Each structure stands twice: as C-alpha cells, then as structure tokens.
Amino acid sequence: MDTSTFWQGFRAGAPFVVVIVPFGMVFGVVGTEAGLSLAQVLGFTFMVIAGAAQFTAVQLMTEEAPTFIVLLTSLAVNLRMAMYSASLAPYLGRAPFWKRAAMSYAMVDQSYAVSVLKYETTPAMTTAQRSAYFFGSAAPLVIPWYLATWAGAALGTAIPPGIPIDFAVPITFLALITPMLRTRAHWAAAAVSVALALVLRGLPYNLGLLVAALCAMATGAALEKRAANRATTRGQS
C-alpha cells in the first residue's frame, strides 16, 4: 500500500473525528435507552456501520413499526451509498475485488466526500493510490465510531442529560452535504427533501422521510437528465 497517500487520506478524514465521536456516543445512548443490550448495540454498529440508518431503525423499532417498514426505511436512508458507489466506480473499479469489498464496508459519508473530491482534483492518481487514500480517509472514522458507540452504550444513562452530545448529528450532515451541492440539480433535490420531510413529518413510522428521499432523488435525476439533454442539443447545433 502507498503509505504516503494513505496518510494523506488519514489527515483529510481526521478532522471528522470531532463529530464522529459524539455522533457514535449518541447512538450508543439511544440504543441502550431503546432496550438493546451492550452486545446488541455493538453488533448493530459493527454490521451496519451507517449512523443515519441505525438511528432511523432504532427509532422505528421503539415505535413498534412493522419489520418491513424498519428495513424499507433504513434501506431508503442508505440508498445514497449506492449512488456513492456508482460515483466512485470510475476511479476504483479496477481495484482488486477484496479491496472493493473492504471499501464498500468502510464507506461512510465522510470517507466518500473527501475521497471523491481528491480524485476529481488529482486525476493523475493511480488506482492503487486512490485505494490507499480511501482507506486512509476511512481509518480515523471507522474505529472511533466503534469506540464511541461502545462508550455511549456502556455509559448509557450515566451521561447527564444536560451535556448536548446530540449536537453532532445535524452538524455532521451539514458539514458533509453543503460542499456537495454543486449543481442546480443538487440544490433542487436538497430543497425537495427538506420541504417534504417537514410537510410529511406527521406520517406514521417516519414514512414522510421515505417519501421525501424518493421524491428528492427523482427531482435530482430529472434535472440532471434535462441538463444532459440540453448539453447534447447544444453540441449538435
């Protein structure tokens, strides 16, 4: 592995530890408060490793939502990972299968965001260097996520309610999403998702979130397609 590139990725991902640790602790606390044991919380985190989907699933489970609603909503929340994978495929598609499998597991919002930005600004990188950079960016995120979840689950209700560790959740997503809104389609999708999530917040089992996500993706895809058609038309004229 290209250690120099690995450490470049590590330095790019390291600042997100500031939000990953409290984010993970919040999930540990929420999981134990929902009735999960320490082993169940840690198993959940190790196998799923997707904060937003984990929070969504636990909340729906506490509301005694049907299992298919829990699974469907969690999958909808994580659909962005499929888009992340498609976005990274041109850069990492030639990497060995085991590396791609490991990167799929370690892919979180932060590792994707810093990696794709690096690939776009440094097109001369080889596939091996891109892989090293990705693993470097994920390293300071995945392990602290495990440890923070364990700490939150172990401490549980011992954390005074006055400590606002839940600040990390909205800050994390704002820090990730804002730099990624680079086109009109991105902004339109974000606006639709926010508006519908607020309008439909009264639907049971957080179904409004599911509807908002699907409508936002449809909006973004439609605008991207329209922009591509316009570019093709201009190129032919």
Side-chain angles (χ1 to χ4, degrees):
M1 179 177 289
D2 187 324
T3 54
S4 174
T5 310
F6 176 89
W7 287 111
Q8 287 181 26
F10 189 94
R11 288 192 291 273
F16 289 104
V17 172
V18 175
V19 290
I20 282 290
V21 169
F23 197 12
M25 290 185 69
V26 170
F27 178 74
V29 173
V30 169
T32 52
E33 288 181 346
L36 300 179
S37 66
L38 177 61
Q40 288 171 328
V41 171
L42 293 180
F44 203 163
T45 285
F46 185 78
M47 289 188 287
V48 180
I49 190 170
Q54 290 177 226
F55 277 102
T56 301
V58 168
Q59 182 176 349
L60 291 174
M61 290 163 64
T62 58
E63 295 174 359
E64 300 184 352
T67 302
F68 79 96
I69 291 292
V70 176
L71 294 175
L72 185 63
T73 306
S74 300
L75 286 173
V77 171
N78 261 3
L79 271 179
R80 68 189 189 284
M81 296 298 169
M83 293 185 283
Y84 291 171
S85 298
S87 173
L88 292 177
Y91 303 106
L92 300 169
R94 294 183 180 179
F97 176 78
W98 70 269
K99 279 190 177 181
R100 284 183 280 135
M103 286 187 279
S104 298
Y105 173 77
M107 187 187 300
V108 295
D109 298 291
Q110 295 87 348
S111 61
Y112 165 76
V114 299
S115 295
V116 76
L117 183 62
K118 178 69 173 178
Y119 302 158
E120 290 175 353
T121 56
T122 316
M125 292 178 76
T126 65
T127 300
Q129 289 174 324
R130 290 169 182 157
S131 299
Y133 190 89
F134 184 91
F135 285 122
S137 67
L141 303 171
V142 174
I143 296 174
W145 173 252
Y146 296 153
L147 296 176
T149 300
W150 169 80
L155 294 173
T157 56
I159 299 177
I163 297 180
I165 59 175
D166 55 346
F167 78 95
V169 178
I171 286 179
T172 297
F173 283 98
L174 286 174
L176 288 171
I177 292 174
T178 303
M180 299 173 70
L181 301 178
R182 300 192 295 266
T183 68
R184 183 177 299 176
H186 295 164
W187 282 101
V192 168
S193 65
V194 171
L196 287 181
L198 292 174
V199 171
L200 302 176
R201 66 184 183 280
L203 292 182
Y205 307 132
N206 277 336
L207 287 175
L209 181 63
L210 181 63
V211 174
L214 294 175
C215 291
M217 286 188 284
T219 301
L223 290 180
E224 292 279 10
K225 184 177 181 180
R226 180 182 297 180
N229 290 338
R230 287 180 177 174
T232 302
T233 302
R234 289 173 183 170
Q236 294 173 345
S237 60

PDB file of all heavy atoms in Angstrom, residues 26 47 96 102 153:
ATOM      1  N   VAL A  26     -23.941   9.207  20.932  1.00  0.00           N
ATOM      2  CA  VAL A  26     -25.399   9.398  20.945  1.00  0.00           C
ATOM      3  C   VAL A  26     -26.100   8.108  20.545  1.00  0.00           C
ATOM      4  O   VAL A  26     -27.084   7.698  21.183  1.00  0.00           O
ATOM      5  CB  VAL A  26     -25.806  10.537  19.987  1.00  0.00           C
ATOM      6  CG1 VAL A  26     -27.326  10.583  19.819  1.00  0.00           C
ATOM      7  CG2 VAL A  26     -25.311  11.863  20.505  1.00  0.00           C
ATOM      8  N   MET A  47     -22.014  -4.324  12.215  1.00  0.00           N
ATOM      9  CA  MET A  47     -22.547  -4.914  10.988  1.00  0.00           C
ATOM     10  C   MET A  47     -23.144  -3.879  10.045  1.00  0.00           C
ATOM     11  O   MET A  47     -23.039  -4.003   8.829  1.00  0.00           O
ATOM     12  CB  MET A  47     -23.592  -5.975  11.333  1.00  0.00           C
ATOM     13  CG  MET A  47     -22.996  -7.228  11.953  1.00  0.00           C
ATOM     14  SD  MET A  47     -24.187  -8.566  12.163  1.00  0.00           S
ATOM     15  CE  MET A  47     -25.149  -7.926  13.536  1.00  0.00           C
ATOM     16  N   PRO A  96      -8.636  -4.590  -6.943  1.00  0.00           N
ATOM     17  CA  PRO A  96      -8.992  -5.993  -6.689  1.00  0.00           C
ATOM     18  C   PRO A  96     -10.317  -6.102  -5.935  1.00  0.00           C
ATOM     19  O   PRO A  96     -10.690  -5.208  -5.181  1.00  0.00           O
ATOM     20  CB  PRO A  96      -7.824  -6.499  -5.838  1.00  0.00           C
ATOM     21  CG  PRO A  96      -6.687  -5.595  -6.171  1.00  0.00           C
ATOM     22  CD  PRO A  96      -7.296  -4.258  -6.441  1.00  0.00           C
ATOM     23  N   ALA A 102     -13.801  -4.358   0.851  1.00  0.00           N
ATOM     24  CA  ALA A 102     -13.422  -3.675   2.092  1.00  0.00           C
ATOM     25  C   ALA A 102     -13.820  -2.202   2.046  1.00  0.00           C
ATOM     26  O   ALA A 102     -14.289  -1.639   3.043  1.00  0.00           O
ATOM     27  CB  ALA A 102     -11.918  -3.811   2.323  1.00  0.00           C
ATOM     28  N   ALA A 153     -22.864   3.317  24.806  1.00  0.00           N
ATOM     29  CA  ALA A 153     -23.690   2.213  25.302  1.00  0.00           C
ATOM     30  C   ALA A 153     -23.289   1.822  26.719  1.00  0.00           C
ATOM     31  O   ALA A 153     -24.141   1.464  27.537  1.00  0.00           O
ATOM     32  CB  ALA A 153     -23.553   1.011  24.367  1.00  0.00           C
TER      33      ALA A 153
END
